[in-house]
Each structure stands twice: as C-alpha cells, then as structure tokens.
C-alpha cells in the first residue's frame, strides 16, 4: 500500500482545537446506521439508551456512550467501531483504535482522515476490487471444478457402498452357513475327542503301572551294581567307591557326603527298599556328577583352561564353584536336559486307541477348517462394516482419497498423509520413518469435515506424542499443500481436495487463511 | 573429535531434564573456592593492619587523604580516601611498591559514569592515633592502630570499616615467597574444580574487608540473586555467603544465595541511622557474608524504637566482602534516606538514559518464531485479538547455524521485507546477538576477529580461547579492548549487517559469558584479555562490555539520532547506561512468579531500573491461571516480555480461551494506558537515579512495617501493586503503608486507610493496584496498535486527593525515540490540586517540545463532596463534568485543548 505524504494546510491547525471544533463529517458509519446520526432535535441518545446529551458531543473526540456509539468517526471510544465503505471493494468494520493511527486499514483510506504526520492513504479499493474479482473468478473455477469432482467422488462412494452392501448381504448368508458348518464340526470334534480321551485315559493307567515296574527294575539294576558283594545290602564301603557320590569333588565319597544322601539308613547298610526311597536324591547327585564330567570334556575340547581345579576345590568353596559354573556355562544351557525317569519309557497306544485318536484329529482338522472359513467371512464383514461406518463425509465424498496417500517435501523430510489411516515423516536422507499420528477423528468444527486429527504418533524425546491436524480445503485436485510444526511435535497440514468443496462458493474454504 | 564432544556437551545443556532443578554440583560453594575459604576463616578481632602515622597526608583542597598501611608481615600498602559529592567517601588500597608480575584491575573506567568529583574537606583533628575530617555533612575518622575507618553524621558513626579486623590484602608475590609465608599452598596457586584446572599463574591476591552498619535492621541489594529482598544472615544458617560471579545457571532455584547472571556489589541498610549504602567496586569473583546482630531482638517494640531515625539503636549488621583479586576500592554512600543512597550511587555509576517509549510496551517473544510466515501470523493474531504490542522477538534459531549477524535464508528469505512490514504498523523486531562466535573459517566475523587477534586468548596467552556454546566450538571477542568493541559496533551498521534495517533492535544473551564446556559454565579464569589481564580480573564486567559495544554500534547506526534498545542478561555496575535486563531463564511455577517482584526490586536498587521477567516462565508450560497472573505482574514490571523455551507448547495470549484472553488483554491495556506515567518515571530516574519500581520501604522508610516486605511494591511514588502470586487465591491481605496516607483501588476507587492491612478480593481478573492519595497520574486511555502510532492522542489525568484534599504530580513527554530532548525538545508539566483549584503549569525546566496532544479528561478521586461548579479560573467558563455517585469521582470532560497550555480550574463547593 502506497502512502502519499502531504503537508497539512495551515488552516487545519486552527480548526482542530478540540474545544471549539464543530463535529467532523460523519465518516465511518454504515449506511444502515446513518439514521442514528441525523441531528433532528439537537440531542443524541446512545444506541444502548444509556445517555442523552447535546448533539455537539457526537464525534467531538470524547467518548460519552459506554457502547461507543457517539464517536463513530474518531478513536475516542475503546470499544468503538469504524465502518469503511470501500466502494468497488468490500465494506469493512475496523476497531476505532485503528482510526488515524498512521496505517491505512481501509482501502478507501477513510480511516486515516487525520493521520499523524499528515499521511494520506491512496484509495486502493478499485485495484483491490479487481484483484478480488480475479481471485473470486479463479476460486470460482477451482470451486466449480472441485465441486464437479466432488460429485464424482460421491458417485464413486455410492457405488462402492452399494458394492459393499451387496457383498455384505452375500457374506451374511455365507456366515450363517459357515456358522452352521462350524457348529456341526465342533460337535463332531467334541464327540471324537471325548472318545479318544477316554481310551487314552484307560491306556494311561496301564502304562503307569508298566512305568513303575521299569523304574523299579532300573533302581534294582543300580543297587545290584553297587552291591558288589551281592549281600542285598549296600554298605558304606561299597558306596564310598562310587565317584558320582563324591559331591564335593575331593576324590572320595566320604561318610558325611553319604549321610546327606541316606541319613540314618546308612547304618548297617542300605536295603533295596531304602535305596528306592532315596532314589530321587541319588539321581540328583548322579546328574550333577554327569554334568561336571561333561563340562570337563567340553573344556578340554575347547582347549580352554580345565575346570578340574575348581572341582577339586576345598569344602566351603563348593557353593561358589557351583554358582560360577552355573553362570559360566551358558553353552550347556542349550543342551537337552537329562531325560526324566517318567519319560524313559515310551508308551505305545494300542490299535483301538490309536484309531480313536486319529478320528479325533481328523474331526479337529475339519472343525479348524470350518472355523477358518467362518472367521474369514466375519473378518470381511467387520472390514465392510468399518468402511460403512467410517465418517467419510456427509455424502461419503472423502471415499476416493481414503484409498490413497499424499506426500509433500520440505527441506529435510518427506511427509505422507494417508487419509483415515496415518501420517508419517521420512527423512529425505534416508532412515527410519516416524509416525506423526494415526487416524483419530474429525475435529468438532462448526461444519464438521473441515479438520482431521491424527493422534498417538511416536512420542517425542522428552515430549508429548506427536499428532497432526489436517485442515481440509476445497481444491480442484487432491494435494497436500503445506506442512508445518507450529508447536513442538504438533503438526499442522493443509490439504486441498474436491471432497472439501461445498455446494456454494461462499461456503467453500479455498485459502489457507480462511478462518475456521 | 574435540568438536564432537563440544556438540555433545551442547546437547546435554540443551536437554530439558525431567526434574527441573539446578545442578548445584556444577557451581562452587565457598568451601570449593580457595580464596573464599581463606578470607572467611580469618580470625576475627586480630589486628593485622596499621596506619603509619607520619605517612598521613591530607590534601583538603584536592579532597584526597593518602597514607600508608603496614601489615603484620611488614608489607606496605598505599591507601587513599577521597571525599566526593553528597558526603560520599571513596577508599582504595593497593601495593605501595609496584608489583612486577601483575597489576590490580579496576573496573572504574567502565562502571563509573565519569571520574567522581572530589570535594574539599576540612581536617577537624589529627593526632598520632587518628585523623578526623569533615566532608559536607559527613565526617570520616581514621583510627591508625589497628586501621579502622568510620563514617559519621553529626558525630554519630553509621558505617565502620574493619571493625572486626577482617581486612585482608594479599600482595602479589612470587611462589617461593608465598611458600615461605607458611600459608597452605593447596589450591592457592592452582585450583581444581571438577575436571577444570585453574593455573592461577600470579598466585593469590585476594582482598577483603568487613563493614558494620550501625543501627541497621535490614540490608538490601547485591543483585542478582533469586532471594527475598532483605538479605538473610549468611552465618546463622550454616550456608554460603552471597556470591557475585556472573554465571549461566541452568534452571536456577528460588530463595537461594547462589550466583546468577549479574553482579552489583551494592547494599542499602535501613534502621536507626536511616539508610546508608556501601558499594564495592570490583569485577572479580566476590562473596559477601551478612551477619545480623540485634540488641532487642526483632520485637515490634525494638523495631519501633529503632525506627525513630538517629535515635542510636544499638543493633547492627556486619558484612564481610571478599574478592579474588583486583583493586580494593569501595564507596560509603551516606544516605540518609533510601532515595539519597540511590541518588548517590547513580551519581557514581550513571543512570539509564531515557528509553525509547516503544521499549516500555509489550514484547512478544519465543524461542523461536520459526520463520517469516510465523512472524506474520503472530503479528496478525495479536492484531486480530486487539492486543497492542511493540516488538516481536527472534531467538537464536533465526541465524544461519548460530552465526550471529546472519539469517537462516530458508526461514527468513527476505528479512528486510519482514522488518519493513512490521515498521508499517509501528512494530519493531528484536533479534538475539550473542557474544560467542562460531569457529568457522567461512564465517566472516569469526575470520576477521581471528585474523586481527581480537579474540580472548587461552591461558598460554597466544592461542585463541575455545569453548562450546550454541554453535558448538566458539571463541569470544575480547570486549575489554576498545578496538574490539569498535569492530563489534560496526557489525551493527546496516551496511555491514545484511538483512537488517534500523527497525531491528538487539538482545545480548549468554554474556556472562556462558561457556558450556568451561568451569561453572563460564570462561576459564586464566584466559587472557588484552593488556595481559586475566579473565579472573574482569569476569563480572564482561557482560557490560558486550552491551557497551552494542550500544555504541546502535548509536553509530542511527548517527546518534535514535535511542538504542538492548536487552542483556548479564549486568555489572554501569550496565544501566546501556541496557535493559531480564531475570534470566526462570520456570513456569508459582514459586518463580513470587520471586519476580523481589528480583525486580533488587535490580532497581542496584541502579538498573529497566528490568523484568520472562512472562509465563521460560522453562515448562504454565497453567492458564499462572500465565494470566504472570501477565499481571509483567504489566507492572518495567520490562514486559513474554518468552518461552523451545520445548514448551505455544503460549501466545489467544491460546487459552476467550476469558483468559480478555484478562490478559486487560493487563496489557493497563500497561499501555499507563505509559505516560512509566515514561515519566524513567525520566525521573534520569534525574535522581530512583528505581522505577521500588520497595515500599524506599518510599516509606519510616514505616518499619514495610522493611521486611517484598511482595508488594511501588511503581513510582503514586502506585502500589500487590500482585497475586499464588494459585487459586480468591483474596489477599494487602498492607497499606503510612498511616497518613489514603489509598484507592485503581479500578473501583474503593478507599483504604494507610497503616492498615486489609483483605481484598482477587478474582482472576483482578490486579491489586492502588493509587496513593496526593498524586496526579498521567494516562493515555486510547490504546492503539503499539505505544505511539498517533502522537496527538490526548492524555487523561487522575487527580487522587489525599486527606488534605491535595495532590500533585508531573508528566514528562517528548518524541519518544530520538535524542532531540537533549536539545530541549521535551515538555514537563507540573500538576497540582490545592485549595479547590487544579493547576497545570510548565515545569521549571520545561523544554520546547511542540505537540497537538491535549487533555481529554481529568478524573478527580477522593473529593469530599460533589462540587457545585467546576470552571476555568481565568474565564469563569464552566466545564462539563460528570459525578459518579458510586465511586465519588468527578470526571471533567475535555478540559484542556493542548497539554502545553497552562490552566487553572476552580472547584466550587
């Protein structure tokens, strides 16, 4: 805006004395309000009827009315308003504090009728009007094209919804059948499983008895091996020869070690029965022994320092040695644990049981298949329902963009908006993408469908979760027109799309700065 | 590699920590500072210094009394006592024999406005044991053995120096001599702190003195600390002395005696001897111990007795001043009132020249307004929401890689267009220019500074000192050098500062200096400045030197036509002549809001009146209530700026809903309407050095109830504020000082009687602001886009009557931006109301400023009854008035056609 500097005529200063000045011409009044400022009886009443006073107080640069109505042309009232006619452009009401403040707020320049330093405003309304008409024409074209496409979008959406609804009808039929099938298969499966389980149960009892017998045989075998003299008692001497019972690794299984295992029953030798009673303890000690043997072998194989000295360490250090070997021996962890007694005997089912198990397996497979079919259909139904209930606009006009993604680059990043899905940011230099939010909801604006919220993005370091607000504008094509981060980790996108166009140009927001 | 570490450290400093709290381990305690320990541990009462009687040489006509002092080791020191204007005494002490290794630094050249005027004294008596002289109304007595200096009024001592024999003067000596002296060497020559080593090549040279304030009940001053106003007893709580060492303290705590960004070694006392001052002129690290000794306890009766001036109350306050090095140089300011102490101090160190009117408006700042578009949006939103403002600010992100005097070309592709667009609507831009210079060879300023040898040197004296700050590896210009300051000044010229215009103003931050990689986040003490001065010698002065260079630059830019505006974070005595200051990186908490008023008061007492806090708190996010209350404090602080850390959500006024917006707008409107008063206060400051916002006791020293108050304050002498600084506070107790005074609520005009504490209701939209009966206060009720778009806008006067139905006040006015006031282009109006007549008359020194501005309204508050007639005394023409029954105020409509017109208005009852 160009300002022209002129000198005030000298006479102005004489007329400007506030004491005697006659009211300045009534500028800043809307035509519809002019009637208030007609001096009919020499008095003026504030618009809010608060005071009546001589008409000479109108526009005398002193605020008399609480509503500011007595000073339409001056800056005297804090809440005053000044109306610029702006012929050839748009009328505008500005706060009266902007009157004569050295800046041309009205394109007709009427707000600076007594500007400080004598600035005069050039009337730019014609030019602005022309620009406005050009702009409106441009907008009109964009809007028309946008709205035309929006109708196409709606049609696409209608078709899609019809398609989806038809699909839904079929799927609903299908899911009924599938439910039936699944129910039947489940019954058959349950029956067969019951029969198979009963047979297994029966067989298990027999197998348990066999297992006990086998265990007893094993125990007796060991007992007999220890009982070298065959007197059906294992004596302390016989036990002392057993290196696996040398729990502290000092080379001999002494009485103390043996007493830990067998207790009182060591006195006078351990009978077969007593040995069976202590089989558990024996097995534990034996297993630990086997483990240490394996360690030594392993260490030797690895060519590392042998752990023999540790095994031979003195009493009291055993605990530590044990702990060390525990923690140091990660490689052994992977090896299969020693077989437990109960698994030493494989149970073979008889033919009848096997047949029942096979039947049960078969019916289970059939059930699983039926369930999969059912769940697939259910999944499809859920997907369609989600689609049908997704708020894609009053006429579902946002449908076509819901299947696409839109991106925009700034200096460092590529931003991508996948409407109704997610927003991400990708460094242009490569590297991991960052979520700026996933679809949340339409923001509750006056007309709805004007701003989308994407929430719960990746949390900022020491900050909040990222989120993105996408403001939807009307355009003749769909395009992400700007990306911004006004607050740390709070993104603001402007997105232009035909879906954002309204029927009338006036309602369509075409520009970033159209206020929400 | 080194650079990488720097960047890493930089990031660490940048990182907001989950728990907001200062890391005290980064900063020294007295016990970690060897000289502080050495001085603090001196035995009290052991005579160590003696005047050599035959050396005493009075030169009464010259105002100089010199003599020799010998310490117990036989070292001779040379002492000078000077008698200055208004009874001020200056004492300085240095080695008698020239020191071969290093000199003692004095910041006088920079801190003192000019060489103080020495006045002749009279020798009242002189003997082998003492000398007693008279300087105006003040006497000074020097006792010889041990050395002791007393300042007296009417023969009554009020300040005694070296009463406790804590004076200490470590003469420079060789390391061998020091070792031979038997004092522990550990930490005296080389000192380690954390990973930093101070080579301290010249060895110990600390100085110290004890100062007793007789009859004193409270001491105030020593900015900058985040402490209450009245200095606390540093000995009784086992804590540290007050520390004065300019530091960038990350996330500082409130109610703490730790050092902060600025240092003004000045205290005021109040008590039986009125108010006296003591000013310790030293730029090195300084600690001050305070010990309160009370005879009658703090009982009301005791205070009452002591509140009677010159009654010789026997309580006193002892202080102990300790500096690491430098000249021992101090001033005793005799008062005897708070305003005379501030006047005496301002005569020494100068005043803040009239600020540009716009700089007293509202400032909108954030780290960072991102780009030109962002600036335009913030400007548009302020306008759309009817919020006047004067400047929008850009923090470090506006630069190209934190290289100051450059622009990020992607974010600010056309900064000149931006500056011009702001200027169209009378708005300014303030940008940050920090003193750390990025070490990048293609950065012109760095290259030139380096090539010309203008950078501070490392301890080796030859290589450039290097540390890390925002840009990573940085160096610092040696502002101690006039040549370097000249270079820096020229950087601001529009032809040298590409993308700038005269609408750009300056913020000098990080000028302690902040060095992220240095000891205590500052420069190594053994870094070397021009002339071989160590950084140790000048540390606290560095920030002032930066602003001095900037000030000269901005003057040069406008060919000495326009008043510069500079905001600084670091200050030292004298800084007031160049810059405004803010209280640094505070946080959005109620505790930090509460400390704003005392910190503003403290800075004002320190002679630096143009001060304010980051509205909303720099770190963290304020609740809407906290933000609103902070605006209410900010609107009544001399410097009024919203600012926020980059990691906080946006907090511009329109982001908190319509109600909060309205209340914030009201606070900002209050500020703009009162600008004529604020401006007049800044003018009055130039005349007397009086702080603009001042403690209650400053205005009412005889009302002892005010002595320990710091949450209420006076804006000038006519307005009292009692801002709400607590959450959910529906009402608060307000003390109305001075039982002879009457006070009126600024909005409702409800009347309060002085000497009473009353509860006032404080809903969120209420700022407890009170007008003092007896004042005439100038307003401009028309709030525009900024401070001064229409110079013809009229004034409104509030005539606030006292119990005698009298009032007086004044207005200073000029063009608000140039230096033409120095040529007489200003006006001073004296207003009064007395005997039923209002008068507006030219002030005694009124200049020739011409204006069309007029008086649209006079509001008379506190009239006993409604006058039957109000008319011009000269013509008898009746004036149009409106009487408000509820508030008993009388509004006179359009009484005066030009503010310069002398007028008398007669009230008939």
């Amino acid at each position: 805006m160009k300002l022209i500097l002129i000198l005030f005529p000298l006479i102005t200063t004489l007329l400007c004395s506030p004491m005697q000045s006659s009211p300045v011409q009534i500028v800043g009044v809307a035509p519809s309000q002019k009637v208030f400022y007609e001096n009919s009886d020499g008095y003026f009443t504030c618009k809010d009827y608060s005071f009546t006073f001589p008409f000479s107080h109108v526009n005398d640069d002193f605020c008399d009315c609480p509503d500011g109505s007595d000073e339409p042309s001056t800056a005297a009232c804090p809440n005053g308003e000044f109306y610029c006619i702006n012929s050839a452009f748009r009328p505008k009401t500005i706060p009266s504090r902007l009157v004569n403040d050295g800046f041309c707020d009205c394109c007709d320049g009427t707000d600076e009728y007594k500007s400080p330093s004598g600035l005069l405003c050039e009337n730019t309304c014609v030019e602005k009007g022309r620009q406005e008409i050009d702009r409106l024409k441009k907008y009109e074209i964009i809007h028309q094209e946008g709205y035309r496409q929006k109708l196409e979008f709606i049609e696409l959406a209608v078709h899609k919804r019809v398609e989806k609804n038809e699909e839904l009808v079929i799927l609903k039929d299908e899911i009924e059948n599938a439910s039936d099938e699944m129910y039947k298969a489940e019954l058959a499966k349950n029956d067969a499983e019951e029969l198979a389980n009963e047979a297994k149960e029966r067989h298990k009892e027999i197998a348990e008895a066999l297992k006990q017998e086998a265990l007893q045989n094993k125990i007796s075998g060991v007992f007999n091996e220890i009982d070298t003299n065959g007197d059906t008692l294992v004596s302390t001497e016989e036990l002392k020869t057993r290196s696996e019972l040398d729990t502290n690794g000092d080379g001999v299984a002494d009485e103390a070690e043996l007493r830990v295992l067998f207790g009182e029953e060591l006195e006078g030798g351990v009978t077969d029965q007593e040995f069976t009673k202590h089989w558990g303890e024996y097995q534990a000690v034996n297993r630990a022994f086997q483990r240490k043997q394996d360690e030594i072998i392993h260490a030797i194989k690895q060519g590392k320092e042998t752990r023999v000295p540790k095994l031979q360490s003195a009493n009291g250090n055993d605990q530590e040695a044990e702990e060390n070997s525990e923690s140091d021996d990660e490689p052994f962890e992977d090896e299969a644990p020693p077989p437990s007694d109960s698994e030493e005997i494989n149970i073979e089912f008889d033919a009848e049981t096997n047949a029942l198990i096979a039947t049960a397996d078969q019916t289970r497979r059939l059930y699983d298949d039926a369930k999969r079919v059912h769940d697939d259909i259910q999944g499809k139904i859920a997907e369609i329902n989600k689609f049908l209930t997704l708020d894609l606009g009053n006429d579902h006009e946002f449908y076509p963009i819901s299947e696409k993604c839109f991106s925009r680059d700034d200096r460092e990043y590529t931003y991508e908006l996948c409407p109704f899905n997610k927003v991400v940011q990708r460094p242009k230099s490569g590297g991991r993408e960052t979520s700026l939010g996933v679809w949340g909801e339409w923001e509750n604006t006056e007309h709805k469908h004007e701003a989308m919220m994407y929430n719960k993005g990746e949390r900022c370091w020491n900050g909040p979760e990222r989120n993105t607000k996408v403001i939807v504008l009307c355009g003749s094509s769909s395009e992400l027109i700007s990306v911004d981060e006004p607050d740390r980790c709070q993104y603001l996108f402007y997105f232009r799309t035909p879906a954002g166009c309204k029927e009338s140009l006036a309602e369509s927001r075409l520009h970033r700065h159209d206020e929400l | 590699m080194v650079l990488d570490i720097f960047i890493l450290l930089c990031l660490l400093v940048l990182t907001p920590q989950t728990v907001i709290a200062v890391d005290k381990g980064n900063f020294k305690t007295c016990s970690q500072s060897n000289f502080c320990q050495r001085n603090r541990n001196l035995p009290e009462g052991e005579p160590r210094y003696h005047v050599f009687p035959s050396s005493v040489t009075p030169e009464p006509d010259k105002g100089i009394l010199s003599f020799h002092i010998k310490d117990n080791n036989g070292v001779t020191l040379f002492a000078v006592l000077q008698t200055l204007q208004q009874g001020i005494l200056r004492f300085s002490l240095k080695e008698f024999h020239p020191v071969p290794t290093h000199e003692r630094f004095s910041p006088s050249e920079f801190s003192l406005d000019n060489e103080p005027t020495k006045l002749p004294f009279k020798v009242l008596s002189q003997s082998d044991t003492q000398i007693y002289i008279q300087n105006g109304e003040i006497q000074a007595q020097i006792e010889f053995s041990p050395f002791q200096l007393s300042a007296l009024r009417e023969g009554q001592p009020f300040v005694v120096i070296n009463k406790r024999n804590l004076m200490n003067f470590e003469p420079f000596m060789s390391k061998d001599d020091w070792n031979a002296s038997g004092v522990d060497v550990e930490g005296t020559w080389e000192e380690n702190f954390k990973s930093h080593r101070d080579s301290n090549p010249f060895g110990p040279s600390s100085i110290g003195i004890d100062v007793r304030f007789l009859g004193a009940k409270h001491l105030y001053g020593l900015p900058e600390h985040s402490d209450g106003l009245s200095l606390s007893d540093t000995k009784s709580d086992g804590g540290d002395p007050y520390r004065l060492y300019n530091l960038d303290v990350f996330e500082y705590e409130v109610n703490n005696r730790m050092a902060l960004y600025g240092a003004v070694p000045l205290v005021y006392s109040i008590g039986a001897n009125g108010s006296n001052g003591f000013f310790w002129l030293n730029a090195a690290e300084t600690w001050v111990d305070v010990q309160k000794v009370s005879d009658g306890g703090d009982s009301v009766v005791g205070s009452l007795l002591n509140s009677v001036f010159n009654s010789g109350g026997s309580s006193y306050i002892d202080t102990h001043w300790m500096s690491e090095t430098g000249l021992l140089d101090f001033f005793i300011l005799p008062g005897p009132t708070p305003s005379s102490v501030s006047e005496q101090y301002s005569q020494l160190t100068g005043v803040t020249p009239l600020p540009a009117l716009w700089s007293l408006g509202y400032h909108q700042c954030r780290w960072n307004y991102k780009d030109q578009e962002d600036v335009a949006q913030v400007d548009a939103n302020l306008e759309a929401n009817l919020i006047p403002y004067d400047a929008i600010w850009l923090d470090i992100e506006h630069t190209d890689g934190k290289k100051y005097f450059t622009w990020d070309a992607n974010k600010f592709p056309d900064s000149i267009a931006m500056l011009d667009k702001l200027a169209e609507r009378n708005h300014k831009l303030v940008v940050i220019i920090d003193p750390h210079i990025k070490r990048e060879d293609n950065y012109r300023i760095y290259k030139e500074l380096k090539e010309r040898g203008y950078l501070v040197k490392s301890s080796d004296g030859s290589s450039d000192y290097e540390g890390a700050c925002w840009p990573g590896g940085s160096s610092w210009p040696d502002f101690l050098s006039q040549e370097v300051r000249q270079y820096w000044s020229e950087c601001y010229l529009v032809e040298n500062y590409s993308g700038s215009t005269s609408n750009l103003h300056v913020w000098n931050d990080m000028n302690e200096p902040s060095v992220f990689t240095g000891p205590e986040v500052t420069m190594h003490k053994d870094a070397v400045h021009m002339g071989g001065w160590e950084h140790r010698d000048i540390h606290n002065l560095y920030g002032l030197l930066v602003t001095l260079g900037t000030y000269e630059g901005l003057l040069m830019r406008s060919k000495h036509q326009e008043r510069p505006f500079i905001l600084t974070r670091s200050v030292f005595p004298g800084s007031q002549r160049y810059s405004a200051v803010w209280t640094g990186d505070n946080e959005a908490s109620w505790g930090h809001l509460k400390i704003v008023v005392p910190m503003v008061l403290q800075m004002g007492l320190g002679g630096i009146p143009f001060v304010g806090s980051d509205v909303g708190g720099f770190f963290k996010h304020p609740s809407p209530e906290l933000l609103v209350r902070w605006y209410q404090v900010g609107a009544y602080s001399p410097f009024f700026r919203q600012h926020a850390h980059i990691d906080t959500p946006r907090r511009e006024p329109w982001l908190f809903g319509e109600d909060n917006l309205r209340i914030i707008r009201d606070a900002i409107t209050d500020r703009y309407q009162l600008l004529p008063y604020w401006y007049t206060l800044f003018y009055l400051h130039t005349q007397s050095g009086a702080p603009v916002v001042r403690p209650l006791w400053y205005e009412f020293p005889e009302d002892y109830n005010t002595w320990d108050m710091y949450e209420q304050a006076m804006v000038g002498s006519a307005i009292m504020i009692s801002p709400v600084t607590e959450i959910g506070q529906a009402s608060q107790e307000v003390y109305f000082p001075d039982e002879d005074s009457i006070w009126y609520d600024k909005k409702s005009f409800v009347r309060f009687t002085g000497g009473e504490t009353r509860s006032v209701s404080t809903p969120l939209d209420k700022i407890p602001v009170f007008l003092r009966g007896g004042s005439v206060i100038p307003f401009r009720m028309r709030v525009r886009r900024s401070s001064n778009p229409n110079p013809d806008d009229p004034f409104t006067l509030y005539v606030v009557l006292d119990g005698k139905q009298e009032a007086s006040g004044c207005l200073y006015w000029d063009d608000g931006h140039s230096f033409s006031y120095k040529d007489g282009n200003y006006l001073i109006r004296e207003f009064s109301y007395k005997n039923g007549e209002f008068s507006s008359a030219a002030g005694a020194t009124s200049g020739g400023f011409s204006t069309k501005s007029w008086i649209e309204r006079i509001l008379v508050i506190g009239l006993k009854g409604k006058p039957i007639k109000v008319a011009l005394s000269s013509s008898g023409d009746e004036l149009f008035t409106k009487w408000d029954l509820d508030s008993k105020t009388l509004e006179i409509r359009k009484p005066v056609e030009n503010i310069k017109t002398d007028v008398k208005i007669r009230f008939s009852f």
Side-chain angles (χ1 to χ4, degrees), chain A residues 293-307 332 335:
Chain A
Q293 291 297 309
D294 288 347
E295 265 173 48
I296 293 162
I297 291 159
H298 182 80
I300 291 165
K301 275 187 195 159
Q302 298 286 313
K304 285 183 191 163
E305 184 189 343
T306 171
R307 289 169 191 247
F332 292 91
E335 288 177 15

Side-chain angles (χ1 to χ4, degrees), chain B residues 21 94 182 185 338 348 412 427 560 613 717 778-779 812 835 869 895:
Chain B
K94 56 183 173 186
V185 178
L348 298 172
F412 297 91
H427 294 139
H560 293 257
S613 64
S717 58
F779 289 76
Y812 172 89
N835 303 324
K869 188 181 169 192

